[in-house]
Amino acid sequence: MSSLTPHTSQTQAAKHRGQEDASMGELLATVTSDVQQLLHQEAELAKAEIREEAAKAGKAAGMFGGAGFAGYMVALLLTLAAMFGLANVMDLAWAALIVTALWAVIGVILYSRGRARMRTVSPKPEQTMETLKEDMRWARHPTG
């Protein structure tokens, strides 16, 4: 009987190890599934937040558009007021020409400033490119 006891305990130990391995596998599968579910939920939350923020931005853009139109109307009406005000001291045609020339000068100044600023704009996202290069270097050699 003593010869059966060691064999039985070895079999039970092997069975226990098999269950432990199965438990580790199940645990790993559960953890993997949970991480995938968590990432999926985080992605859905991010999408919902982006949609909400995009809706806010759309409303704000609409308000900016309305403000731009109101500003255009103010400029138009001020232009007419200046033209008719000058018409009290000179011919209306000359007054219109002076106001038009004033707007032409404003347009040239804004164009030249915009063009100068546009030359400083880089279409390539330098910081993002550098970060991606660093990530690639790390992925190739994660320990070093």
Side-chain angles (χ1 to χ4, degrees):
M1 191 146 190
S2 63
S3 66
L4 288 179
T5 306
H7 178 65
T8 305
S9 62
Q10 287 176 351
T11 305
Q12 286 176 347
K15 194 185 257 189
H16 180 68
R17 261 187 257 119
Q19 288 174 347
E20 192 174 286
D21 289 343
S23 296
M24 288 297 281
E26 290 171 3
L27 181 61
L28 184 60
T30 302
V31 168
T32 302
S33 173
D34 288 349
V35 168
Q36 287 175 343
Q37 184 179 6
L38 179 63
L39 290 174
H40 179 72
Q41 289 172 345
E42 289 295 327
E44 290 300 317
L45 177 61
K47 287 179 189 176
E49 284 179 326
I50 289 170
R51 277 193 295 270
E52 185 178 319
E53 291 302 312
K56 283 187 209 177
K59 289 176 185 176
M63 290 179 189
F64 279 133
F69 179 73
Y72 169 75
M73 293 303 294
V74 166
L76 178 65
L77 294 174
L78 280 175
T79 298
L80 289 173
M83 191 176 71
F84 286 122
L86 285 174
N88 287 329
V89 293
M90 64 180 70
D91 187 43
L92 181 60
W94 286 109
L97 188 61
I98 291 170
V99 172
T100 301
L102 181 65
W103 275 113
V105 168
I106 291 170
V108 166
I109 291 170
L110 288 173
Y111 173 78
S112 65
R113 284 187 167 187
R115 186 173 178 206
R117 283 208 179 157
M118 188 56 82
R119 288 182 177 169
T120 65
V121 173
S122 174
K124 190 166 94 173
E126 298 292 336
Q127 210 169 10
T128 302
M129 295 297 289
E130 188 58 37
T131 302
L132 288 173
K133 287 177 186 177
E134 287 175 14
D135 290 347
M136 291 301 289
R137 284 191 294 264
W138 180 85
R140 287 186 191 126
H141 308 287
T143 58

